[in-house]
């Protein structure tokens, strides 16, 4: 009887184990780089663009 | 009397001519064109046009330097952005430079 219980416990443990969903979280192999330079450069470009538009409106210069 | 009048008239006429050309006329007459570096270039030799070019280029440079300093970028970069705009804004028939530096008529 004791042997049977042991067996049953082992089998149910195995069955339960088989049902447990495995969620794997893998870290990315490359470091995550957030490039803020692009945004800043873009903003500067827009700003310079506006300043140049004002400059080009100057008839004495362009 | 005639000589005196001429002496008065000739410099007056020359002065008038010197006053006559401005930047836009120099461009439309084909003496000056927009280079690919943001500055004016002499397309056809002319002293008056050259004087206008030198003066305007100096002013442009000062403005480019100011904008560059304000935005912490190089003056050349500002000048190149200006070149794109100036070439785009040039009127038809005016001289512009292509990427290689060749003059062509827009």
């Amino acid at each position: 009887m004791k042997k049977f219980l042991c067996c049953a416990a082992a089998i149910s443990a195995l069955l339960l184990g088989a049902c447990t969903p495995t969620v794997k979280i893998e870290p990315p192999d490359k470091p995550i780089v957030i490039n803020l330079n692009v945004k800043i450069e873009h903003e500067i470009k827009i700003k310079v663009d506006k300043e140049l538009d004002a400059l080009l409106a100057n008839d004495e210069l362009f | 009397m005639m000589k005196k009048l001429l002496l008065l008239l000739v410099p007056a006429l020359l002065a008038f001519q010197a006053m006559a050309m401005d930047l836009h006329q120099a461009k439309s007459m084909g003496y000056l064109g927009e280079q690919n570096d943001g500055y004016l270039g002499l397309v056809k030799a002319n002293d008056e046009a050259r004087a206008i070019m030198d003066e305007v280029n100096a002013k442009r440079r000062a403005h480019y330097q100011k904008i560059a300093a304000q935005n912490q970028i190089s003056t050349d970069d500002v000048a190149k952005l200006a070149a794109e705009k100036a070439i785009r804004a040039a009127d038809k028939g005016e001289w512009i430079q292509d990427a290689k530096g060749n003059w062509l008529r827009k």
Side-chain angles (χ1 to χ4, degrees), chain A residues 52-62, chain B residues 23-24 27 34 38-40 56 60 63-64 79 82-83 85-87 89 94:
Chain A
L52 282 174
D53 277 338
L55 200 63
L56 259 92
N58 186 342
D59 259 7
E60 280 178 26
L61 294 175
F62 286 91
Chain B
L23 172 61
H24 292 271
K27 276 188 183 181
E34 286 293 343
Y39 297 97
L40 288 168
V56 172
R60 282 190 185 183
H63 277 95
Y64 294 160
K85 282 179 179 289
I87 286 168
E94 290 182 359

Side-chain angles (χ1 to χ4, degrees), chain A residues 1-14:
Chain A
M1 189 56 191
K2 212 179 173 184
K3 210 177 175 186
F4 172 74
L5 268 175
C6 258
C7 257
I11 287 166
S12 55
L14 266 175

